[in-house]
Amino acid sequence: QVQLVESGGGLVQAGGSLRLSCAASGTIFSASTIGWYRQAPGKQRELVATLTNGGITNYADSVKGRFTISRDNAKKKVYLQMNNLKPEDTAVYYCNLKYYTTSWYTYWGQGTQVTVSS
């Protein structure tokens, strides 16, 4: 069983920065693909960034050049550094972990609110 706990959200002015953290439990962290998703009010949840266990990253076009995803396998943590934040980045941000054995297993955190004021 995997549990994910996000932290680091808050209120920031446009142009500011935040760093989200996600702490994972369980033994499969280093073998997993981890990522961040977000959901704004009235919108569907969308991918922000993912990072495979092999180091391959994928970013939404809207955050490329502003957000950076990273992981610390020893600490079982994943981070999202968010710079030059915009009001449209306002959303609940969710940590996600996926790993494959004989099928895909997916886990979600409870989410952390990020609000960017103009």
Side-chain angles (χ1 to χ4, degrees):
Q1 188 70 12
V2 174
Q3 290 187 326
L4 303 171
V5 179
E6 302 99 332
S7 61
L11 174 64
V12 64
Q13 288 188 333
S17 298
L18 281 175
R19 188 193 194 206
L20 304 183
S21 298
C22 174
S25 65
T27 60
I28 48 82
F29 182 83
S30 62
S32 63
T33 291
I34 49 87
W36 291 94
Y37 291 71
R38 67 187 181 186
Q39 187 167 16
K43 295 187 177 181
Q44 290 188 331
R45 190 173 298 188
E46 64 177 4
L47 179 146
V48 176
T50 60
L51 174 58
T52 71
N53 59 328
I56 298 173
T57 58
N58 182 41
Y59 293 95
D61 288 342
S62 59
V63 307
K64 283 180 181 177
R66 300 188 298 123
F67 291 11
T68 302
I69 188 171
S70 61
R71 65 194 295 166
D72 185 330
N73 287 338
K75 294 182 178 179
K76 296 182 184 178
K77 285 191 172 182
V78 57
Y79 306 99
L80 185 69
Q81 178 66 43
M82 305 186 293
N83 298 327
N84 190 22
L85 282 160
K86 303 176 180 181
E88 51 264 41
D89 295 319
T90 295
V92 177
Y93 284 70
Y94 296 91
C95 181
N96 172 272
L97 184 149
K98 298 178 182 176
Y99 78 101
Y100 182 85
T101 56
T102 56
S103 61
W104 281 102
Y105 293 84
T106 301
Y107 298 91
W108 293 94
Q110 82 287 352
T112 186
Q113 177 70 46
V114 172
T115 302
V116 184
S117 63
S118 57

